[in-house]
């Protein structure tokens, strides 16, 4: 078991650039209701981005872009050690260094009077066309509208390993790469039809030290992270 020396916490926001649809497995459509609804917070009724959705997409993009040289995705048990270190594994057991949080919708002034179709969301009407008969099959998609913003928080555990400097730098190179990959891809469903374009904004890196004697090590690691080539581009400094 690696000793926990501290944490790096990345905070900021995710801005929705095009309508975002992250559905729920509990979809139920009564007659006349929306066909495909978005997942919402049970208390506030606001749409959320589940941490599991972001984690799965980032893991997939990183594996596909950097470590996968085949046409098919490898068995998750055969993924690179760099990916297992970030996301965890069960065989052998590897603790995940990343902790993803559910992202809650921010209150936002759109600068004009906006009337949403449903609380905080819009309805997009689409058709699927039967190529054999030419008959249209209309459907409704609930989406979080463009311009919406979600609070973002990603936690990285700093562990006491022999290769701490090398591993932390590699891990953050991959984290920054995942931010870029996701911005050039999409989040949620129906991305090939233009849904789910997002952008990370106002990102900040905060260090947290639990034992005073680890403070110098963590400050040094933070300075090494800030020297990564695309750090300034991602964090806007």
């Amino acid at each position: 078991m690696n000793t926990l020396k501290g944490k790096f916490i990345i905070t900021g926001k995710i801005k929705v650039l095009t309508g975002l649809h992250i559905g729920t497995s509990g979809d139920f459509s009564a007659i006349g209701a929306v066909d495909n609804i978005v997942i919402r917070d049970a208390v506030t009724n606001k749409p959320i981005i589940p941490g599991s959705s972001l984690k799965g997409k980032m893991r997939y993009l990183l594996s596909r872009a950097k470590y996968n040289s085949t046409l098919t995705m490898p068995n998750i048990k055969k993924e690179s050690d760099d990916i297992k270190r970030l996301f965890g594994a069960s065989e052998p057991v590897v603790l995940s260094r990343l902790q993803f949080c559910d992202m809650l919708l921010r209150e936002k002034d759109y600068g004009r009077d906006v009337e949403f179709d449903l609380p905080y969301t819009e309805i997009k009407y689409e058709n699927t066309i039967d190529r054999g008969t030419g008959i249209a099959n209309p459907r409704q998609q609930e989406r979080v509208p463009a311009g919406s913003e979600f609070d973002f928080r990603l936690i990285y555990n700093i562990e006491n390993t022999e290769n701490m400097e090398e591993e932390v730098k590699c891990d953050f190179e991959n984290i920054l790469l995942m931010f870029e990959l996701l911005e050039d891809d999409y989040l949620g469903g129906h991305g090939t039809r233009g849904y789910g374009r997002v952008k990370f904004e106002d990102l900040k890196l905060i260090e947290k030290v639990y034992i005073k004697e680890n403070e110098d090590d963590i400050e040094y690691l933070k300075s090494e992270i800030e020297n990564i080539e695309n750090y300034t581009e991602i964090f806007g400094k």
Side-chain angles (χ1 to χ4, degrees):
M1 184 79 68
N2 292 330
T3 303
L4 181 65
K5 297 177 71 70
K7 294 178 183 284
F8 284 130
I9 302 173
I10 301 175
T11 63
K13 66 182 180 183
I14 292 180
K15 184 173 183 178
V16 177
L17 302 182
T18 63
L20 173 70
H21 177 88
I22 298 179
T24 168
S25 60
D27 285 359
F28 171 76
S29 295
I31 296 175
V34 178
D35 296 319
N36 295 309
I37 61 176
V38 300
I39 189 167
R40 293 174 179 267
D41 178 70
V43 175
T44 65
N45 200 36
K46 293 180 179 180
I48 65 171
I49 299 177
S52 57
S53 296
L54 187 64
K55 179 180 180 180
K57 185 68 178 196
M58 282 188 158
R59 184 171 192 160
Y60 166 77
L61 289 173
L62 182 63
S63 179
R64 186 177 178 188
K66 193 169 181 181
Y67 298 107
N68 183 29
S69 59
T70 65
L71 294 176
T72 58
M73 294 295 291
N75 186 301
I76 197 169
K77 297 177 182 179
K78 298 180 180 179
E79 281 187 321
S80 163
D81 289 341
D82 293 346
I83 293 181
K84 292 179 180 178
R85 191 167 63 235
L86 286 175
F87 294 97
S90 57
E91 295 181 18
V93 175
V94 179
L95 295 179
S96 169
R97 290 189 180 177
L98 288 182
Q99 297 174 5
F100 289 81
C101 304
D102 287 349
M103 285 142 281
L104 305 180
L105 183 69
R106 288 183 168 189
E107 291 292 341
K108 179 177 172 61
D109 181 2
Y110 285 85
R112 54 187 173 87
D113 292 332
V114 177
E115 293 186 7
F116 294 119
D117 299 307
L118 293 172
Y120 311 102
T121 61
E122 64 184 3
I123 303 301
K124 185 170 186 294
Y125 293 86
E126 299 182 347
N127 278 319
T128 56
I129 307 296
D130 188 306
R131 293 187 179 184
T133 65
I135 296 175
N137 179 28
R139 61 187 176 188
Q140 300 169 320
Q141 301 279 5
E142 184 182 15
R143 308 195 310 177
V144 179
S148 301
E149 298 173 349
F150 291 83
D151 286 314
F152 172 72
R153 183 180 178 90
L154 180 65
I155 301 169
Y156 175 88
N157 289 333
I158 307 168
E159 297 176 347
N160 183 23
T161 67
E162 294 181 1
N163 303 313
M164 184 171 61
E165 178 184 341
E166 178 183 339
E167 289 185 0
V168 169
K169 191 168 183 180
C170 174
D171 288 345
F172 268 83
E173 286 174 348
N174 285 332
I175 291 169
L176 298 183
L177 175 60
M178 288 189 293
F179 288 155
E180 291 188 289
L181 289 170
L182 185 57
E183 287 187 344
D184 292 333
D185 206 88
Y186 62 88
L187 186 62
H190 317 298
T192 58
R193 299 203 297 272
Y195 289 42
R197 264 58 185 185
V198 298
K199 183 175 179 60
F200 293 93
E201 293 186 345
D202 302 333
L203 293 179
K204 296 179 181 178
L205 180 64
I206 304 167
E207 70 274 19
K208 200 156 189 178
V209 184
Y210 301 106
I211 301 176
K212 186 71 174 177
E213 65 187 39
N214 295 328
E215 189 171 7
D216 290 342
D217 288 340
I218 292 175
E219 283 293 336
Y220 172 71
L221 289 174
K222 185 178 180 182
S223 68
E224 288 295 297
I225 292 169
E226 291 173 343
N227 288 328
I228 295 174
E229 183 177 354
N230 58 345
Y231 180 89
T232 301
E233 180 182 345
I234 299 295
F235 282 83
K237 293 183 179 180

